[in-house]
């Protein structure tokens, strides 16, 4: 049995229904050395960072701790279909 390396993206949606209820996706910010520094949220799913589960969990934790409006959003980790 082989171990399949699954990848994920992080998605946010408003908890309160809005007229324009579009999800946003995490774009990871990393230093030149590749060290995680945080995330920004963008509208384009195609430009979102594809991450391992551990990286996605780190991005969710960072967003909840550092983004002041994070409580207005439901943050989920979504598997990427390959």
């Amino acid at each position: 049995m082989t171990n399949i390396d699954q990848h994920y993206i992080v998605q946010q949606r408003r908890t309160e229904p809005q007229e324009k209820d579009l999800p946003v996706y995490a774009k990871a910010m990393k230093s030149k050395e590749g060290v995680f520094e945080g995330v920004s949220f963008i509208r384009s799913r195609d430009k979102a960072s594809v991450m391992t589960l551990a990286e996605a969990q780190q991005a969710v934790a960072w967003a909840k701790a550092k983004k002041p409006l994070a409580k207005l959003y439901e943050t989920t980790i979504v598997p990427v279909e390959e």
Side-chain angles (χ1 to χ4, degrees):
M1 183 175 187
T2 60
N3 185 11
I4 299 173
D5 188 24
Q6 182 67 48
H7 290 93
Y8 302 87
I9 59 174
V10 176
Q11 172 183 297
Q12 280 190 336
R13 266 194 158 0
R14 281 204 175 265
T15 53
E16 299 288 324
Q18 301 289 322
E19 188 174 314
K20 285 186 167 183
D21 187 23
L22 300 174
V24 291
Y25 304 95
K27 176 96 172 144
M29 297 180 287
K30 294 185 177 185
S31 69
K32 289 181 182 178
E33 294 80 28
V35 178
F36 177 83
E37 293 183 339
V39 294
S40 60
F41 286 92
I42 59 174
R43 295 249 182 238
S44 175
R45 183 181 175 124
D46 296 334
K47 294 181 182 177
S49 296
V50 177
M51 306 173 227
T52 64
L53 183 58
E55 291 170 333
Q57 290 170 336
Q58 182 181 25
V60 170
W62 185 91
K64 287 183 178 179
K66 301 289 185 177
K67 296 283 188 175
L69 298 177
K71 62 182 172 273
L72 300 177
Y73 293 88
E74 176 185 348
T75 306
T76 55
I77 298 173
V78 181
V80 174
E81 298 294 325
E82 292 184 24

